[in-house]
Amino acid sequence: MAQGAWRMAHGAWRMAHGTGRMAQGTWHMAHGAWHRAHGTGHKALGAWRMAHGTGRMAQGTWHKAHGTARMAQGAWRLAHYAWRMAHGTGRMAQGTWHKALGAWRMAQGAWRRAQGAWHMAQGTGRMAQGTRSLALGAWSLRASQSGLENSSKHAANRPPLSGPSLCRSSNVKPTVLKAA
């Protein structure tokens, strides 16, 4: 009987031990499930972090593209401003050229007026020379008619027959300067 009791106790112990082992197996299974769930959570968290990083990278790419577009717009505005300044400088140069041309034309007109005045003075001198010749001729005619050609009384009133004349001789042509 003692042997039977021992067997029963030993069997109970074995049953309890088996139950403990089963409980331990169940705990190991639950612990493994927890680790699997925890790993899945970590994987999900990693996937979320990767997606978040990808989004941040895409956002950075967009900001870079936007900045590049703004820089291109600024470069275009600078180029446009430079073109407008060059255009204005060209217009100013054109105006300066027109002023210089007008000044040259005014100088040319003044030169032509001076030339005309010189020609008028030359003509006036020739007219004076002709008037002197007429006066000498009239004096000679009057003297010959009155018979007093060599009279000392009238010699003081007679214009000189030689000496400097009022103008050049009519056969000398003046030099006419032409405007360039």
Side-chain angles (χ1 to χ4, degrees):
M1 213 132 117
Q3 191 180 7
W6 182 85
R7 282 189 179 172
M8 276 183 62
H10 185 67
W13 177 86
R14 287 191 65 164
M15 280 180 63
H17 184 68
T19 303
R21 292 289 300 259
M22 280 179 56
Q24 190 180 18
T26 303
W27 181 87
H28 278 292
M29 282 177 59
H31 188 69
W34 180 86
H35 275 291
R36 281 192 299 276
H38 187 70
T40 304
H42 274 291
K43 284 182 184 173
L45 182 65
W48 180 85
R49 285 182 176 161
M50 283 183 62
H52 185 69
T54 303
R56 292 292 295 264
M57 282 176 58
Q59 189 179 23
T61 303
W62 182 87
H63 279 294
K64 283 182 183 172
H66 186 67
T68 303
R70 293 288 298 265
M71 283 176 60
Q73 187 180 28
W76 183 87
R77 284 184 178 158
L78 278 170
H80 185 67
Y81 177 71
W83 179 85
R84 287 184 62 137
M85 287 204 36
H87 184 68
T89 304
R91 293 290 296 266
M92 283 175 56
Q94 189 179 23
T96 303
W97 184 84
H98 280 295
K99 284 180 184 174
L101 182 66
W104 184 80
R105 286 185 176 159
M106 284 176 64
Q108 193 177 30
W111 170 249
R112 287 188 179 151
R113 283 190 298 275
Q115 237 182 350
W118 186 82
H119 282 296
M120 282 180 64
Q122 191 180 30
T124 303
R126 287 192 179 145
M127 283 174 55
Q129 192 176 21
T131 303
R132 180 181 175 269
S133 296
L134 280 172
L136 279 175
W139 186 84
S140 295
L141 181 64
R142 189 180 61 162
S144 66
Q145 288 175 350
S146 66
L148 300 173
E149 192 172 331
N150 289 325
S151 168
S152 62
K153 178 181 172 187
H154 294 288
N157 295 330
R158 180 171 58 99
L161 296 176
S162 64
S165 64
L166 296 175
C167 289
R168 293 185 187 159
S169 173
S170 60
N171 62 355
V172 176
K173 299 285 183 194
T175 306
V176 178
L177 299 175
K178 301 259 180 183

